[in-house]
Every structure is written in C-alpha cells, then in structure tokens.
Amino acid sequence: MANTAKGTVFYKEKAYSKINEYLLDNKHSKIFILVDSNTHEHCLPAFLPKINTNTAIEIIEIEAGEPHKNLDTCMGVWEALSDLEGDRKSLLINLGGGVVTDLGGFVASTFKRGIKYINVPTTLLSMVDASVGGKTGVDLGNLKNQIGVIANSEMVLVDSDYLATLPTEEMRSGLAEILKHGLIANEDYWNKVGKLSDLTLNDLDDIIRVSIDIKAKVVAEDPFENGLRKTLNYGHTLGHAIESYCLTHQEKQTLLHGEAVAIGIILATYISKELKNFPKDKLEGITKRIIELYGKVDFSQKDIEKIIDLMKFDKKNEAGIINFVLLKDIGAPEIDCQVPNELIFNAFEFYKTA
Ligand code: NAD
C-alpha cells in the first residue's frame, strides 16, 4: 500500500500520482465518484482523464447546494451504491464542495458499516476547511450538521485549477474560513489575507496550503474536538444559527456558509472585546475589512431573537450551556466562553451601526 497516512493532503500533480499509486496498490471492487450537478459538469471532465485504473467507475450525482445536504439525499446515494453492487471493497471519491465532501464522507462511513473514501474538494471552502479533518455529516431540517460521524478520508487531493469555474460569491464564501484561520492562529497571516479583496488564482496556492496547515495542525492535536479543535468554530456559533435561520426564511436573503460565518466573526469579535479585552482598534479593522468584502445584512429584533434561539442546537453546547470561542487577541483564542444574551443583542447593534 502506498505510504500515505490517513487524511494526508496532496497538491496538484503529486495528488494525481498519489491517488493512482493508491488505486494500484488497493484492489477495489468498484470506484464510485460522487458529484453534484455543477461538479459533474465542471470538474468531472478534468478529473477522469487523470485517473489510471482498470477498476470499473460509476458516477453518482446529487443535486447541488446546502438544502440537499440531508438524509433524503443520503438515502438516494446509499440506494445507488447498493443498486450498483457496491461492497465493502468499494471506494467512494467525493468530487465537489463541502456539501459533497460532508455528505459523501458520511455516506461512505456508514454504508456496509464503512467503506473507504477520498476527498477531491472543488470549492475554496472545501479545500481549506470542509475536506480536511474527518468531520462528515448532514443537516437535520434547518439545523446544521446535526447528524454525522468523524471518519477520515484516505487522502485529500487539492488542485486549485478546479476553482477556475467557481462563481465569485463562492470564492468569497471560502475566504471567510481563511480569514478565520488567520484570526485564531496567526496575525501575520490575517494581515495578509484580510487585505485580499480580489483573490487571484496566483495568490491562492500558497494561501490554501497555509490554511490547510493551520487546520491540520489543530486537528492532529485534538481530532475529536475535546478542546483545541473547538477554536476552529470561531464565528460559527452565531454563523451557523444565522445560516440556518436564513435557509428557512424565504424573506431573508440566502446566505452562503462563509457569508454567514463572516457575520459571525464580526459578532464574536465584538463580544471578545467586551468579555476578553480584545483590542478595540483590531475589532474596528476586522469589521471594516469584512464589511468591505461581504456587505451587510439587515436583522430585525425578531430575527435576532430567533437566531439566538437556534444557537441552543450548537454542537459545542454542554448541558444546555451555549459555549462560544472568543479571542483575547488575534492568534489567542479561548474556548468554552459563556455569553449573556444581552451581549449578543449588543453585538448585532454594533454590526448594524458599523
Ligand atoms: P457547496 O458544496 O454547496 O458548493 C458551493 C456551490 O459551488 C455549489 O453550487 C456547487 O455545486 C458549486 N461548485 C462546486 N465546485 C465547483 C466548481 N469547481 N465550479 C463551479 N461550481 C462549483 O458548498 P461549500 O461552500 O463548498 O461548502 C459548504 C459546506 O461545507 C457547508 O455545508 C458546511 O457546513 C460544510 N463545512 C464542513 C466543514 C467540515 O469540517 N466538515 C468545515 C466547513 C464547512
């Protein structure tokens, strides 16, 4: 078997030689490639010619987008695997964004009690975040990522060429997780990525590697999120609640994952200033940059109440207590912080008037 630790990330051409080595060394009964309608059109034609194997390949397609990251879609994929005679020696390759890698990883980890899978992320967000670290799963109704398992892929293949067809708003969505990596881990990196209003493909390869390294280091130290890994949820406690709320309220503008996280980052940074003495000038700098990049969303008092209500489903909560990640400074996160609701309202007020 090829010398690859589980979940290892490979880049560009090396990635294809590694997967081909892996396919040669492991006698899979069948290879399934999971795509959504967009990655079927834009990514599969580039991916297939890079794969050298005599093993039969089957393509399974799901509908694109977060509303389809649910158990109904899993059911369709499990049934397709079964109808196409998938067995425990089958391999699933997830070629897509975070929806495909999250859902595909979960389907693979549960089909026949677990088959091997490989992630080939095709969005910026899935490259720097979703495809790395072994968190898999789906939404339950409008509640984000409630059902899932932690199960590592065999490897992750990162090729930024796939980003050439990714819409700009999806690039911006991925940038939010990159900004988060800077804020929780490295001020120099934040200063670099916070200035990138217009990401070019040339900047990207370096940035993607640094972000993946930040995430992979945290995950290696705390794979099951008992402590340090929670820091990767910076901006997500409110971000997920905002994303869930907007998903189910047609009158609100639909927010991509990263767009909701960007708002969550501003709110969490304001709360960090209030509770952890996070420097005020840095809060203002972060807020200005994020609003320049993502614009602003209006939230009424009623919206905010419902968003706060949704936070009770956050997976970091313990015994009904909502746990936030806050920052003492850039690169100095603190986990398991409790925040009074009043401060959350104040944070939304700060965002509104910023
Ligand atoms: P996504 O998978 O919905 O992809 C966004 C859109 O881009 C989709 O319409 C998709 O079809 C399209 N697309 C994908 N690649 C393309 C390409 N190369 N060219 C053109 N179109 C392309 O969403 P996402 O932003 O990649 O991921 C968001 C999901 O990731 C959320 O569900 C979030 O919860 C999850 N996530 C998971 C983790 C984790 O650790 N598992 C971390 C962060 C986010």
Side-chain angles (χ1 to χ4, degrees), residues 36-40 42-43 63-67 69 95-102 121-137 139 144-145 161-167 170 173-174 177 180 215 229 232 236 240 243 256-258 261:
D36 69 19
S37 41
N38 293 320
T39 63
H40 199 163
H42 297 296
C43 307
E63 286 187 64
E66 189 70 29
K69 194 177 125 177
L95 179 69
V99 167
V100 169
T101 56
D102 274 16
T122 61
T123 62
L124 182 59
L125 191 142
S126 58
M127 287 178 192
V128 297
D129 202 346
S131 69
V132 180
K135 277 193 188 176
T136 74
D139 303 335
K144 291 275 304 165
N145 302 332
D161 286 357
Y162 292 116
L163 300 176
T165 54
L166 193 69
E170 298 291 350
S173 175
E177 302 288 3
K180 174 199 77 181
K215 175 156 187 187
R229 187 166 181 173
L232 292 168
H236 283 61
H240 272 156
E243 187 185 0
L256 299 175
H257 178 75
V261 167

Side-chain angles (χ1 to χ4, degrees), residues 283-302:
L283 164 68
E284 280 161 5
I286 291 165
T287 305
K288 184 166 175 285
R289 281 184 195 175
I290 291 184
I291 289 176
E292 274 165 11
L293 279 165
Y294 296 89
K296 255 169 58 171
V297 177
D298 281 336
F299 295 104
S300 67
Q301 190 73 6
K302 194 170 132 255

